[in-house]
Amino acid sequence: MNQVEVCLTPELIHQFNLSNKIVVAVDIFRATSCMVTGMAHGVKAIYPVATVEECLEKGTKEGMITAGERGGQKLEEFTIGNSPYEYMQDEFKNQSIVVTTTNGTRTILASLAADQILIGAFLNLRAVANHLVSSRKDVVIHCAGWKGTVNIEDTLFAGALIEEIMATHKITGDPALMAHQLYKANSHDLMTISKESSHAKRLSTFGIGKDIEFCMNQSLYSVLPEFKEGKLQAIM
Ligand code: MLT
């Protein structure tokens, strides 16, 4: 059996040995949900970067679409914000997007010591699970949380993914056990508890509650983005 662990916030990632492991980076509301949606709709590559300045510079110099948010709200100077609906645009097909978000891009960039970094969301849950089951590698599910704190939606995703891979991966560590228990207690109605999350409520005040419902769709897409050499590309 392999092992599956959960890092509930990037603040704790230093406690995990990532070498020779697969990291699944997750930010359900909304960074990884957007990335998965974009790749599913034909975006060629997505470049996660840490700062607004880097995003604007790369976008200008390399002719990329600039995307992202701070605190959940689109930055004026960016082409798009961070709604999955913005990533579905036909004119983005075969284009590259450079993106920076409050927590999601930081989570990806904090996982570089891993053997492989996959982008996970409820939207591609089955595709992620199938890859992990066949990988025969230990896994760390790296949750974005919110500005260093733990959040419900990423933890629920971790529990849901654990449920899908339990035949090959042993729950390892209390965070993984907690995530799985949280998922099992709510799997009959993930939407209700997800709408209670602090960021869902924050996004609802911005009038973008529809993003929450979309991000909670399970296995809508079979695309599997991998982060490698600075960019995300679909490996499935
Ligand atoms: C994040 O990075 O925390 C999210 O992407 C924020 C958001 O899109 O609302």
Side-chain angles (χ1 to χ4, degrees):
M1 287 276 270
N2 286 105
Q3 296 183 336
V4 55
E5 301 169 88
V6 174
C7 178
L8 292 168
T9 160
E11 301 293 316
L12 298 174
I13 196 64
H14 64 277
Q15 295 178 355
F16 292 77
N17 173 9
L18 300 183
S19 58
N20 202 31
K21 292 180 185 172
I22 297 176
V23 159
V24 177
V26 57
D27 180 2
I28 296 297
F29 299 153
R30 302 166 289 176
T32 60
S33 297
C34 284
M35 292 165 183
V36 167
T37 301
M39 303 244 88
H41 284 259
V43 168
K44 180 176 67 175
I46 297 176
Y47 293 76
V49 296
T51 67
V52 171
E53 295 71 23
E54 200 180 342
C55 195
L56 290 170
E57 184 183 351
K58 192 173 182 70
T60 309
K61 275 188 180 165
E62 300 180 41
M64 292 185 190
I65 297 148
T66 52
E69 52 68 42
R70 283 295 183 266
Q73 293 192 284
K74 177 183 176 300
L75 294 160
E76 274 314 301
E77 58 270 54
F78 284 3
T79 307
I80 59 172
N82 203 39
S83 166
Y85 292 100
E86 294 177 289
Y87 276 73
M88 296 177 187
Q89 300 180 55
D90 284 344
E91 59 263 40
F92 291 173
K93 275 189 176 30
N94 299 316
Q95 299 293 311
S96 292
I97 295 178
V98 53
V99 60
T100 183
T101 71
T102 310
N103 307 280
T105 49
R106 174 185 174 213
T107 303
I108 295 167
L109 297 173
S111 304
L112 301 183
D115 189 58
Q116 183 178 42
I117 303 171
L118 301 178
I119 303 303
F122 279 113
L123 294 167
N124 72 336
L125 174 64
R126 181 69 34 72
V128 176
N130 289 344
H131 180 88
L132 297 179
V133 164
S134 59
S135 71
R136 299 190 183 285
K137 279 196 173 287
D138 292 344
V139 173
V140 176
I141 305 168
H142 190 180
C143 299
W146 179 259
K147 295 187 177 177
T149 62
V150 175
N151 70 23
I152 286 178
E153 61 273 17
D154 297 347
T155 309
L156 278 174
F157 169 84
L161 182 54
I162 288 169
E163 181 72 13
E164 296 283 321
I165 65 173
M166 286 180 79
T168 53
H169 287 73
K170 182 177 183 299
I171 293 177
T172 305
D174 289 5
L177 183 58
M178 289 156 58
H180 189 233
Q181 292 300 316
L182 178 70
Y183 168 73
K184 285 202 301 183
N186 294 279
S187 57
H188 62 288
D189 179 9
L190 293 180
M191 189 66 75
T192 299
I193 185 168
S194 298
K195 286 185 172 179
E196 287 304 304
S197 93
S198 56
H199 196 44
K201 289 180 177 172
R202 184 178 299 110
L203 291 174
S204 299
T205 62
F206 302 150
I208 41 182
K210 67 179 172 47
D211 286 15
I212 302 304
E213 301 194 3
F214 181 78
C215 292
M216 293 306 292
N217 280 296
Q218 292 193 28
S219 302
L220 189 63
Y221 301 125
S222 58
V223 72
L224 182 58
E226 177 190 47
F227 179 75
K228 195 173 180 180
E229 293 162 5
K231 64 183 174 187
L232 297 186
Q233 285 192 296
I235 55 173
M236 267 178 59

